Amino acid sequence: MLRLKSMLQGEIMKKPENLEKIPWPEVMTLIWGCFMAILDTSIVNTALPTMRATFGGDADSVQWVVTAYMLTSGMVIPVTGFLCDRFGNKRIYLISLSIFIGGSVLCAAATSNNFLIFARVIQAIGGGIIMPVSMSMIRIIVPREKMGMAMGIWGVSAMGAPSIGPTLGGYIVVHLGWQWIFTINLPIGIIAIVLGLIILRETPQKTGLKLDVLGFILSASACFALLLALSKGQDEGWTSLYIVSLLIYTVGASVLFVLWENTTEQPLIDLQLLKNRTYCISILAVSLSNIAMYSITFLIPIYSQNIRGLTALQSGQVTMPSALAIALMMPVSGRLFDRFGAAPLCVAGFSIAGYYSYQLHTLTADTSFTDMQWILVKRAIGLGLAMMPVSTAGINTIPKQLAARASAINNVVRQIAGSFGIALITYVMMHRQIYHNAWLSETLNWSSSATVIAVKNLQSTVIHHGISSSAVMARYCAEELLGMSLQQQAYLASVNDAMLVPAIIVSLTVPLGFFLNKKAVENENSKQHARLIQPASSKTL
């Protein structure tokens, strides 16, 4: 206990002039594997139509290729803190990479949709662990004063990979075949394992730990139920017995989890972390920004493909510049964080992101390709400036001994926030489409001169193009075309309305930045270390 006390006190009293350097070989090794795992979560979406054509079945069965991965990865994340503390971060990282690669090989060899879903579950067990383990390992091996720069570089994979995925996935599917979106993980993963074996150092292991089995069952099942409800809520209906039952179970299991964790001697997650004010504000800011980010990521392909008529590959090209912008901003924001702290970056970055998110609600069917890209790029610059500093500010208040547990909480929150963002934006868009359809139908006067002229012009166009030579059928076609045009306008209006939601949400994150100033982070860091030292010192009396 005295050793723990002296170690913690030594960490607090480190002087700036004795700062260690960032172990870049280890950081880049972790980024390599992490980028592969995160990229796979978004790259698969592009291949779903091709998979459906290959295996047959309906859209819902093919969608389980994505849903199964999301649910499984969400279930395994809570246990990563225990695994890292018990067996060491390096060992768990290499095992998770191996599982992920094995699952990828099975996915590429799949001969049916059910087998592919099974293989995705295997892949998700490894993929769900990789990100929190790499984040906690960076927290352990990087000096606290250099954490901003290291997390900024690491954030290139966390933020850039989801945006690059659709474009890369579209190219691979068109030119190589859908199997290659999984096969490509084999050489990349083997390189990651070899680098990990050679470069990474093992972290301390706590041999006396026992797995909190009940805590794991409660947390994993609660995550499973919540993520399933968020993914199926729009299809099943939010008031349906199926979804309501899932949500009730989520609340019940979460309450039991909290009660159990506060009584057991070796909890799965240290809930005392949630008494850390700075860490909680950081998690809230990360949640809101992830909701906003995933909402736009979901809406832009809908706008590009369903309204503009672009292909999946062209739609990916729309978002590619913004992905590069985030990637370039991450190291910059990391360097600025080390110097100025999170507060000014959060306020400035989220203000920029909020403004340009609001600009997206003015998109029309004629908005140019370049204008759309520039709005997304400017928005990405704001997000890239703010998101990683906000997350790092909270992590910096966590003692290294609890890094794995805190990292698990962070990643569960990120996953739930992303799923909630997509569910929320889908709900808003569908309901606004119903509203606009009804409003346009009511306001359309078929006997007005403008409508009569429009119908006659469309009727002439139908006859001119040889679609129908009958005046009666031509008029019918003209009226149908006018109705379809109104539906398209209603669809565009609903997408524009939905674009306002992430703009509002990211704007709510701005004031949170004022609570993440350098003084608040330092005070909370000292308080958290004192919390661990106090029990240790009292037991030695």
Side-chain angles (χ1 to χ4, degrees), residues 1 7 11 48 53 95 114 211 243 270 284 302 344 358 376 379 385 392 444 474 519 535:
M1 294 299 178
M7 181 173 63
E11 184 179 340
L48 290 181
I95 291 174
N114 289 336
L211 176 62
I243 298 301
D270 184 0
L284 178 59
I302 290 177
Y358 178 79
L376 291 173
R379 175 180 170 276
L385 188 65
T392 308
L444 180 64
K519 183 178 179 181

Side-chain angles (χ1 to χ4, degrees), residues 101-325:
I101 295 169
S104 298
V105 172
L106 291 176
C107 287
T111 55
S112 68
N113 190 66
N114 289 336
F115 186 85
L116 180 58
I117 293 171
F118 167 76
R120 286 283 284 171
V121 169
I122 302 299
Q123 190 187 37
I125 294 173
I129 295 175
I130 290 173
M131 187 170 177
V133 172
S134 64
M135 180 186 288
S136 67
M137 203 165 185
I138 287 177
R139 174 69 183 96
I140 292 171
I141 66 177
V142 175
R144 182 173 174 273
E145 294 78 5
K146 298 288 186 180
M147 189 61 61
M149 187 61 183
M151 290 298 290
I153 298 295
W154 180 85
V156 173
S157 61
M159 303 300 172
S163 299
I164 295 172
T167 305
L168 181 60
Y171 181 87
I172 290 175
V173 169
V174 171
H175 296 282
L176 299 174
W178 67 264
Q179 292 87 348
W180 277 92
I181 65 176
F182 301 113
T183 306
I184 198 173
N185 291 331
L186 182 58
I188 296 175
I190 291 174
I191 293 173
I193 290 176
V194 172
L195 290 175
L197 286 170
I198 297 173
I199 297 175
L200 296 180
R201 294 167 290 173
E202 187 57 276
T203 56
Q205 303 170 36
K206 301 175 183 178
T207 55
L209 289 181
K210 294 181 179 180
L211 176 62
D212 176 13
V213 178
L214 180 58
F216 172 65
I217 293 173
L218 290 172
S219 63
S221 61
C223 287
F224 179 91
L226 179 57
L227 291 171
L228 183 59
L230 291 174
S231 64
K232 296 296 180 182
Q234 193 61 44
D235 297 331
E236 301 290 337
W238 290 103
T239 58
S240 66
L241 179 62
Y242 179 63
I243 298 301
V244 171
S245 299
L246 287 172
L247 294 176
I248 290 174
Y249 178 82
T250 299
V251 174
S254 299
V255 171
L256 290 175
F257 175 74
V258 171
L259 294 175
W260 172 254
E261 293 300 282
N262 281 319
T263 58
T264 185
E265 291 185 5
Q266 294 187 11
L268 184 71
I269 294 177
D270 184 0
L271 296 182
Q272 296 294 318
L273 290 171
L274 300 181
K275 293 183 178 180
N276 180 333
R277 177 187 172 187
T278 303
Y279 180 64
C280 287
I281 291 174
S282 169
I283 288 179
L284 178 59
V286 168
S287 300
L288 292 174
S289 57
N290 268 270
I291 291 172
M293 184 178 73
Y294 278 92
S295 298
I296 296 296
T297 302
F298 176 76
L299 284 172
I300 289 299
I302 290 177
Y303 167 80
S304 302
Q305 297 176 45
N306 297 353
I307 295 175
R308 294 296 302 276
L310 302 179
T311 65
L313 184 57
Q314 290 172 326
S315 177
Q317 290 170 348
V318 171
T319 59
M320 178 63 78
S322 61
L324 296 176

Side-chain angles (χ1 to χ4, degrees), residues 388-463:
M388 197 49 62
V390 164
S391 178
T392 308
I395 289 294
N396 266 2
T397 63
I398 303 297
K400 291 187 176 183
Q401 294 80 358
L402 299 175
R405 311 287 174 134
S407 180
I409 295 175
N410 261 36
N411 284 277
V412 167
V413 169
R414 285 175 186 271
Q415 184 126 347
I416 292 174
S419 298
F420 177 77
I422 293 174
L424 174 65
I425 214 69
T426 303
Y427 177 83
V428 171
M429 188 178 68
M430 296 296 291
H431 279 260
R432 294 304 292 175
Q433 186 178 1
I434 294 172
Y435 166 79
H436 286 295
N437 266 324
W439 184 82
L440 287 172
S441 298
E442 290 174 1
T443 55
L444 180 64
N445 184 355
W446 288 95
S447 61
S448 69
S449 58
T451 304
V452 171
I453 292 172
V455 170
K456 285 184 177 180
N457 289 335
L458 287 171
Q459 187 177 3
S460 300
T461 303
V462 169
I463 295 173

